[in-house]
Amino acid sequence: MLSLRNEFIMAPVKLGYSDRTGVVTQKHLDFYGERSKHVGAVALEPLYMDPGLRELPTQLGIDDDNKIPGFTQLLSVIHGNGAKAIAHINHPGRMANPKLPGNYYWSSTDSACENGGAQPLKMDRSMMDKVVKIHVEAAQRAEKAGFDLVELQMGHGYLLAQFLSPAVNNREDEYGGGFVNRRRFPLEVFHSVKKAISIPVIVRLSADEMIPNGFHSDEMKQLASILEKEGASALHITAGSACSTPPWFFQHMFIPKGKTWEFAAQIKSELNIPVIFVGRITSAKDIQLLKEKYGAEYIALGRALVADPDFAGKYLDQEKGLIRPCLSCSEGCLGGVKSGIGLGCVVNPLVGTGLKHFEPAAVQKRYAIVGGGLAGMEAAITLTKRGHKVVLYEKNKLGGQYNLAWLPPHKETLKELVDYFVNELAALNIEVRYEEADKDKLVQEAHDGVIMATGALPAVPPIKGLTEFYWTEFLEDEQLPEGKTVLLIGGGLIGLEVASKLVEKQNHVIVVEMMEEMARGMEMIEKTLTLKKLKEKGAEMFLKHTVTEIDGSRAVINGEQGQRVLEGIDKVVVATGMKSYVPFDIDQIKIFRIGDAWKVGKAQEAIRGAYELAMTL
């Protein structure tokens, strides 16, 4: 058994907080220190076992004894908070980062991932022996450093799963072909690790690769039974592959919630060892369902603990307050790690930014906030918690333009963020005036400062004949046309979200984008799936083109190949960017700007900027 103080385990989430030598840094101490206060155990991010096997340039390593002092320091923090520590060791095989100098690529195959990556070498016996050796040495190093458990990665399209998968493993020796052969090498690794250490070994397993020719739950049930018999202390059941099914790997909002829970329940029904449930567990309601419907004993929280480090504490009534929701958007977490900045979070401005928890203000002041979007609400909440008096003006509906964010297909979870902020305003008894702010009244009320969170307006290009057009109206179901030909001027984030909605009602969509890339600013997984959907639905997309004239149902566009005319246009949507909007200035009171009123950007930037300002006032 795992012998944890409660059912919650932090799942391994890539941070990218190390330097390029793979050692523990202060950012690790801060991040895991926050998140180990209430959970039963913390699994660190995937630890590379060889410098040539990195997924990130700033990944943590467990490849050398010189890493042990850093881990010892980090584990003292985790253990000091009452949690156990899990070393998640993973060989990426052909999924090692092809952009990192010195990386090498071994696999069960000599074929590269179809979604990109380096061509691997098909492993021979000497390579297999080396892989077994580095797993054993990493596990022994983990035990020496003070880890309580080791988690072995057999899922998610990494090396051991590359042997398990019939879609990848094309060997003709005793390690390829039928399932008995395909599981042979992963089990060799497991046996060697289990024999080499005295601490428990957990196995992370994708129950299904979510591709027709991959492995499925029938084979994984067999493997699970074998692992139980041979000494695995628990199985951590997930789904998908980093190569072939990234939305499942990342548990993105575009995939159905709860499928991994069903897989885990199926495997659990045939085992006596614990099964760890994981995948988009973002609310107390989810936890209750897991316990009542599936009998979940252990629950792994990943990005939910990024969004709110006190998630488990709040569920267990050890902390007060509302749970700040993870949106399953992958915007801040995946986007930050991929860009090299390190893990961030759309909803939590403290993640990866160096910003600190707020402290009470030395002097209580009075502030008016004009605009109740994300930035305005974040500023109001943080200022109030610091002891200031706040009045928030919103002439329409709290949430501002973010109320459009959850209207595109599959993005319904984004509404949870506005609901959270609205509920926080109510819990803190913050005064909200549903009216347009009046300049003279603000002066009369003698505020110490006015914070403009008034957002942005669409930027409309000077196109000849452009007089009647739409912006985001078609995101509203009641305004969505059907069977029309719609010209979208602008193929960025907003334009492509509108296009995604339009094609679901059999509209023929034509997107004209002046840059050389569609969907700029859109999160990677959403971008890939949206562009695929538009192509499948027959949308026309013109890159490096501009619309120069609209004449009734005709549109003239210009590109590198010259001019062409588009006929039969029924409606025009303009999505060519935004410009900051500030309705007035006040000489008598200090004015601050946040969110799009300061600089047009994304939700993550708006929330962070609002928090940062509120911390300084």
Side-chain angles (χ1 to χ4, degrees):
M1 300 298 289
L2 301 183
S3 301
L4 309 183
R5 64 176 169 181
N6 61 44
E7 66 268 44
F8 294 110
I9 297 170
M10 180 167 189
V13 175
K14 294 184 180 76
L15 303 186
Y17 287 167
S18 185
D19 59 13
R20 291 180 180 266
T21 68
V23 298
V24 170
T25 66
Q26 185 61 45
K27 291 185 80 170
H28 294 110
L29 299 175
D30 294 340
F31 181 86
Y32 289 119
E34 283 285 314
R35 285 155 183 84
S36 56
K37 293 178 180 176
H38 302 290
V39 297
V42 172
L44 302 193
E45 74 169 354
L47 307 175
Y48 70 77
M49 300 180 289
D50 184 301
L53 298 175
R54 290 174 296 159
E55 293 183 79
L56 309 170
T58 50
Q59 185 177 354
L60 270 175
I62 195 164
D63 57 309
D64 192 279
D65 284 354
N66 65 9
K67 306 296 196 304
I68 291 177
F71 284 127
T72 300
Q73 183 183 12
L74 177 55
L75 299 188
S76 71
V77 173
I78 294 172
H79 290 152
N81 284 332
K84 291 189 174 181
I86 303 171
H88 177 89
I89 57 176
N90 173 34
H91 194 305
R94 66 177 185 166
M95 299 307 295
N97 192 330
K99 297 179 181 178
L100 294 183
N103 266 3
Y104 61 92
Y105 314 93
W106 295 353
S107 185
S108 62
T109 180
D110 53 8
S111 298
C113 169
E114 61 269 25
N115 287 343
Q119 182 175 355
L121 296 173
K122 185 179 288 189
M123 292 167 62
D124 59 22
R125 186 63 247 183
S126 66
M127 293 174 176
M128 292 181 183
D129 290 340
K130 182 175 180 181
V131 168
V132 172
K133 182 173 182 286
I134 64 172
H135 273 92
V136 166
E137 290 174 347
Q140 290 173 329
R141 204 167 281 125
E143 184 170 23
K144 186 176 178 182
F147 282 94
D148 304 285
L149 308 98
V150 165
E151 181 169 76
L152 191 60
Q153 175 65 282
M154 281 194 191
H156 281 164
Y158 292 118
L159 178 64
L160 301 186
Q162 289 160 29
F163 273 85
L164 293 170
S165 175
V168 180
N169 186 341
N170 58 1
R171 304 176 74 90
E172 296 180 354
D173 59 8
E174 66 269 34
Y175 295 99
F179 187 52
V180 171
N181 283 357
R182 285 185 279 115
R183 73 195 185 206
R184 192 184 306 275
F185 181 62
L187 286 172
E188 283 182 17
V189 174
F190 173 77
H191 295 151
S192 299
V193 168
K194 186 77 177 68
K195 184 178 178 181
I197 58 177
S198 60
I199 58 178
V201 178
I202 299 170
V203 177
R204 198 170 208 207
L205 205 61
S206 287
D208 196 301
E209 286 192 288
M210 309 308 291
I211 51 174
N213 58 341
F215 59 70
H216 303 295
S217 59
D218 54 344
E219 290 185 335
M220 292 305 103
K221 286 178 184 177
Q222 293 179 45
L223 182 58
S225 294
I226 294 169
L227 288 167
E228 177 183 34
K229 290 174 186 174
E230 300 194 6
S233 293
L235 296 183
H236 188 174
I237 302 302
T238 181
S241 161
C243 168
S244 53
T245 50
W248 285 95
F249 171 74
F250 291 107
Q251 287 292 295
H252 192 268
M253 60 186 173
F254 275 43
I255 60 109
K257 185 171 183 171
K259 189 64 177 177
T260 56
W261 310 346
E262 294 175 11
F263 286 138
Q266 291 169 14
I267 290 175
K268 180 179 183 296
S269 67
E270 302 188 11
L271 302 178
N272 292 311
I273 59 172
V275 167
I276 302 166
F277 286 68
V278 72
R280 289 184 67 187
I281 301 168
T282 57
S283 68
K285 183 179 177 182
D286 291 339
I287 296 169
Q288 288 305 113
L289 177 64
L290 284 167
K291 290 182 175 183
E292 293 170 6
K293 182 175 181 179
Y294 300 114
E297 298 171 79
Y298 290 98
I299 295 168
L301 305 170
R303 290 170 296 169
L305 284 171
V306 177
D308 191 335
D310 291 327
F311 181 105
K314 290 173 180 176
Y315 176 82
L316 297 168
D317 290 328
Q318 295 169 1
E319 294 282 351
K320 295 181 179 179
L322 303 172
I323 293 173
R324 189 176 282 240
C326 168
L327 308 178
S328 305
C329 63
S330 297
E331 182 76 43
C333 42
L334 175 59
V337 170
K338 285 283 185 182
S339 67
I341 297 171
L343 183 84
C345 182
V346 169
V347 306
N348 186 342
L350 276 67
V351 178
T353 61
L355 295 174
K356 303 298 182 185
H357 287 284
F358 61 83
E359 295 180 355
V363 178
Q364 186 186 79
K365 294 185 177 181
R366 180 180 176 88
Y367 292 98
I369 301 173
V370 183
L374 298 186
M377 291 191 288
E378 175 65 51
I381 290 164
T382 303
L383 285 169
T384 300
K385 287 182 175 179
R386 294 190 63 224
H388 295 300
K389 179 67 177 176
V390 172
V391 57
L392 176 63
Y393 286 88
E394 173 51 55
K395 64 180 180 180
N396 294 313
K397 184 179 180 182
L398 288 171
Q401 289 176 359
Y402 199 74
N403 286 316
L404 301 169
W406 65 80
L407 299 180
H410 311 298
K411 301 188 76 172
E412 298 84 2
T413 59
L414 301 188
K415 185 178 185 297
E416 295 173 12
L417 182 56
V418 173
D419 293 341
Y420 164 78
F421 275 128
V422 170
N423 290 332
E424 276 279 71
L425 293 174
L428 294 169
N429 293 315
I430 294 172
E431 181 182 358
V432 179
R433 297 179 183 174
Y434 291 96
E435 60 187 65
E436 191 164 349
D438 180 77
K439 178 178 177 177
D440 294 333
K441 187 175 180 181
L442 291 173
V443 173
Q444 292 169 8
E445 290 180 344
H447 294 282
D448 293 291
V450 173
I451 299 169
M452 289 291 182
T454 42
L457 297 174
V460 181
I463 297 172
K464 182 180 178 181
L466 180 65
T467 56
E468 184 177 333
F469 57 89
Y470 299 84
W471 177 48
T472 58
E473 291 86 346
F474 296 158
L475 292 176
E476 301 278 358
D477 289 336
E478 59 270 19
Q479 298 196 56
L480 185 63
E482 186 170 359
K484 303 293 184 182
T485 296
V486 183
L487 172 64
L488 271 144
I489 305 175
L493 171 64
I494 294 175
L496 267 291
E497 288 185 334
V498 174
S500 178
K501 189 94 172 185
L502 283 164
V503 296
E504 293 197 342
K505 282 292 185 178
Q506 291 73 54
N507 293 291
H508 177 57
V509 171
I510 305 169
V511 185
V512 179
E513 168 57 48
M514 66 183 296
M515 306 295 283
E516 58 186 18
E517 177 191 2
M518 286 286 178
R520 290 182 331 281
M522 189 175 276
E523 181 273 321
M524 181 186 69
I525 293 176
E526 180 186 358
K527 176 179 178 178
T528 301
L529 294 178
T530 301
L531 288 174
K532 179 182 177 184
K533 172 184 176 181
L534 292 179
K535 289 173 184 175
E536 290 173 348
K537 294 284 189 178
E540 295 181 73
M541 291 179 272
F542 295 93
L543 289 170
K544 295 193 285 187
H545 279 73
T546 57
V547 178
T548 57
E549 184 179 355
I550 302 291
D551 181 12
S553 63
R554 300 169 66 251
V556 179
I557 66 174
N558 274 326
E560 293 177 338
Q561 305 302 315
Q563 186 179 97
R564 65 185 293 171
V565 177
L566 306 175
E567 304 277 1
I569 306 289
D570 296 308
K571 297 180 184 296
V572 176
V573 173
V574 175
T576 50
M578 307 288 289
K579 57 184 179 181
S580 296
Y581 170 67
V582 178
F584 54 79
D585 204 350
I586 304 175
D587 294 331
Q588 302 95 319
I589 304 176
K590 188 164 181 61
I591 298 289
F592 306 92
R593 298 185 188 186
I594 56 175
D596 284 350
W598 166 248
K599 183 181 179 181
V600 176
K602 295 186 176 183
Q604 184 171 348
E605 296 156 343
I607 292 171
R608 175 183 172 174
Y611 181 86
E612 199 165 4
L613 174 67
M615 289 285 287
T616 66
L617 297 179

